[in-house]
């Protein structure tokens, strides 16, 4: 069974993002970029499925600019067997990415596609769900445990009231939550090995997908600055302020 793992190149989670002065977006010039953390978890899970003998080949996919090749090399250093870059300089929205992934799923015929539950740059939490709709495959989002049992995939999900376990027929789409696993450290020998792995490059046109944005961003701005807090003398003063100033109790 092949496993596809889409990996997005995003601003590193340690970077404090700055809004561009013309309010058209976030400044990513000279900013450290990394693999979306949820996608690292997805690659790790695919590698564990391969180590357990359920997966035969792991294919990492990234859609975006040429530098996404670095993200693919990281995925291959964790353990993906090969990479596919869908190269475009266009702004890619979740629907466009889902259509590209659907085209690649038709080509590769995987048993599973494991995505991150959300990309930490746009926080959309849409691509996996849209991909499941386009492929008409079962989906299990926010996975905290994945097991292959009797030819089906059993996924434990984190839901509001606790945990829910679903049994899905494959092929299926899974999105990862934070507690699914802890990705392994990438070792130098594996980084070197990853440099030699196969990496194919397509353009969206090669896959017959129109990636033109469907949503227009009007303005991006900083959240309002918070004013400094104060210390209150005792609980009575706190209750008084909550009641009479904040009027929340
Ligand atoms: P989002 O719906 O944008 O929050 O993204 C959810 C997941 O979709 C990510 O964690 C990735 O697994 C995948 N994804 C989104 N955008 C891309 C992209 N440009 N390239 C590869 N995978 C992506």
């Amino acid at each position: 069974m092949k496993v596809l793992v889409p990996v997005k190149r995003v601003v590193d989670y340690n970077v404090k993002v700055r809004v561009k002065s013309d309010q058209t977006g976030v400044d990513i010039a000279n900013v450290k970029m990394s693999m979306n953390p949820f996608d690292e978890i997805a690659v790790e899970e695919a590698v564990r499925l391969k180590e357990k003998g359920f997966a035969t080949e792991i294919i990492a996919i990234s859609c975006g600019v040429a530098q996404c090749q670095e993200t693919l090399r990281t995925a291959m250093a964790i353990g993906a067997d090969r990479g596919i870059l869908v190269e475009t300089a266009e702004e890619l929205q979740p629907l466009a990415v889902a259509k590209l992934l659907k085209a690649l799923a038709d080509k590769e015929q995987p048993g599973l596609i494991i995505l991150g539950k959300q990309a930490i740059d746009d926080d959309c939490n849409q691509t996996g769900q849209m991909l499941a709709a386009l492929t008409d495959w079962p989906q299990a989002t926010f996975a905290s445990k994945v097991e292959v049992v009797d030819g089906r995939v059993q996924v434990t999900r984190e839901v509001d009231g606790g945990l829910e376990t679903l049994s899905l027929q494959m092929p299926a789409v899974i999105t990862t939550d934070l507690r699914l696993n802890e990705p392994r450290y990438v070792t130098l020998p594996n980084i070197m090995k990853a440099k030699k792995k196969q990496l194919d490059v397509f353009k969206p046109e090669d896959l017959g997908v129109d990636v033109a944005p469907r949503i227009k961003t009007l303005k991006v701005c900083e959240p309002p600055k918070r004013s400094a807090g104060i210390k209150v003398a005792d609980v009575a003063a706190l209750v008084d302020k909550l009641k009479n100033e904040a009027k929340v109790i």
Side-chain angles (χ1 to χ4, degrees):
M1 162 176 94
K2 282 188 196 175
V3 180
L4 301 190
V5 188
V7 292
K8 187 174 187 187
R9 178 176 181 265
V10 297
V11 172
D12 187 88
Y13 70 94
N14 287 306
V15 171
K16 185 170 182 327
V17 290
R18 281 188 322 263
V19 171
K20 284 195 218 164
S21 53
D22 63 2
Q23 298 195 318
T24 55
V26 162
D27 194 359
I28 55 165
N30 303 317
V31 164
K32 184 175 181 229
M33 306 291 285
S34 303
M35 188 191 301
N36 182 43
F38 292 106
D39 304 352
E40 238 178 284
I41 295 173
V43 179
E44 173 67 34
E45 197 60 24
V47 174
R48 290 187 188 185
L49 286 174
K50 191 173 170 198
E51 286 167 348
K52 286 182 200 148
F54 296 122
T56 49
E57 191 184 25
I58 302 164
I59 306 160
I61 301 171
S62 197
C63 310
V65 292
Q67 291 91 322
C68 295
Q69 295 204 12
E70 291 161 22
T71 317
L72 288 169
R73 293 287 171 207
T74 306
M76 290 190 267
I78 300 173
D81 297 289
R82 60 185 166 98
I84 298 176
L85 167 66
V86 184
E87 192 179 340
T88 173
E90 279 265 13
E91 174 207 337
L92 289 176
Q93 291 174 351
L95 182 60
V97 177
K99 286 180 183 170
L100 293 170
L101 296 175
K102 155 85 167 85
L104 288 170
D106 288 344
K107 217 170 147 81
E108 298 287 349
Q109 300 283 314
L112 282 177
I113 306 181
I114 312 180
L115 306 91
K117 74 167 178 182
Q118 75 194 65
I120 61 164
D121 51 0
D122 57 24
D123 271 344
C124 278
N125 177 3
Q126 294 172 357
T127 311
Q129 294 87 330
M130 287 177 169
L131 176 61
L134 293 174
T135 49
D136 201 21
W137 291 356
Q139 64 174 312
T141 52
F142 313 132
S144 62
K145 191 170 170 197
V146 173
E147 280 175 310
V148 178
V149 183
D150 299 331
R152 294 173 72 89
V153 63
Q154 205 164 294
V155 180
T156 304
R157 310 181 55 233
E158 297 191 2
V159 292
D160 275 353
L163 298 174
E164 176 188 51
T165 303
L166 301 176
S167 167
L168 274 60
Q169 183 188 315
M170 292 190 275
V173 174
I174 296 174
T175 74
T176 62
D177 213 329
L178 205 57
R179 279 163 289 275
L180 178 58
N181 62 49
E182 251 186 61
R184 67 197 64 190
Y185 284 105
V186 174
T187 61
L188 190 59
N190 285 341
I191 293 174
M192 301 314 284
K193 263 193 241 160
K195 287 185 200 282
K196 297 205 183 80
K197 291 186 181 176
Q198 182 184 340
L199 197 164
D200 299 310
V201 182
F202 297 103
K203 299 272 181 215
E205 307 85 84
D206 303 332
L207 301 170
V209 177
D210 166 17
V211 294
R214 303 297 201 265
I215 298 169
K216 191 172 157 207
T217 302
L218 300 179
K219 190 165 92 170
V220 176
C221 42
E222 300 266 1
K225 293 254 178 304
R226 289 178 63 178
S227 48
I230 55 156
K231 268 193 180 171
V232 289
D234 50 29
V235 174
L238 174 65
V239 171
D240 178 62
K241 282 195 178 298
L242 290 174
K243 228 184 214 163
N244 302 316
E245 273 182 36
K247 296 192 176 17
V248 289
I249 56 171

